[in-house]
Amino acid sequence: MQTTYMKQAIALSQKNIQSGGGPFGAVIVKDGKIIGEGWNKVTANNDPTAHAEVEAIREACKNLSDFDLTGAEIYTSCEPCPMCLSAIYWARLSKIYYANTKKDAASIQFDDDFIYTEIPKPMSERKISMTQLMRDEAFEVFKQWETSEIKIKY
């Protein structure tokens, strides 16, 4: 069955390039059933976060009415970028299957290596400037959430 799901992810990526989108597709499976599919919609939606994996996670969560995808697996046509990998961890997916590598993606100008090199740098050395503002005020909200009786932990 694993190859069936990967074939579907690859088919989604191929179909997407026929409409001018990026060559990426993803399928999320739980208990032998596809619960989410996604393909790259960055240019279609003018949304830099609309990667195939993120779109598949959004659909799977919507279909299950849950933000926790524990026990589900993702099949993606390419090794996840740092953003997608983070989203996969936040969604608590249990396994990642991928086809193309990040090196393969870089060879066609989808190179996210610069992000991997930026993350471990001290904030003062990153290409995008980061400035902290109003921490005390913002931390008050954290305190409110910490004591809230209606919070939903995630």
Side-chain angles (χ1 to χ4, degrees), residues 3-117:
T3 57
T4 300
Y5 301 131
M6 185 58 78
K7 284 179 183 177
Q8 178 64 14
I10 294 168
L12 289 170
S13 71
Q14 186 172 30
K15 182 179 177 186
N16 197 45
I17 64 168
Q18 294 168 354
S19 63
F24 303 97
V27 173
I28 297 178
V29 177
K30 187 170 184 176
D31 301 325
K33 181 181 174 199
I34 293 176
I35 59 169
E37 295 181 332
W39 48 91
N40 185 285
K41 296 180 184 174
V42 170
T43 57
N45 292 357
N46 292 317
D47 179 354
T49 68
H51 290 199
E53 297 91 338
V54 172
E55 291 294 311
I57 289 168
R58 289 172 179 160
E59 183 177 272
C61 290
K62 182 179 177 183
N63 288 338
L64 294 182
S65 298
D66 197 346
F67 56 82
D68 186 341
L69 298 178
T70 298
E73 303 173 337
I74 189 165
Y75 294 79
T76 179
S77 64
C78 189
E79 182 179 353
C81 74
M83 177 187 68
C84 292
L85 185 59
S86 296
I88 288 166
Y89 275 100
W90 278 114
R92 298 182 181 96
L93 288 160
S94 299
K95 190 155 189 173
I96 302 168
Y97 295 94
Y98 65 94
N100 291 315
T101 67
K102 63 183 179 181
K103 189 174 181 178
D104 296 331
S107 75
I108 60 165
Q109 283 71 55
F110 287 96
D111 190 359
D112 52 21
D113 192 52
F114 75 96
I115 297 172
Y116 287 104
T117 60

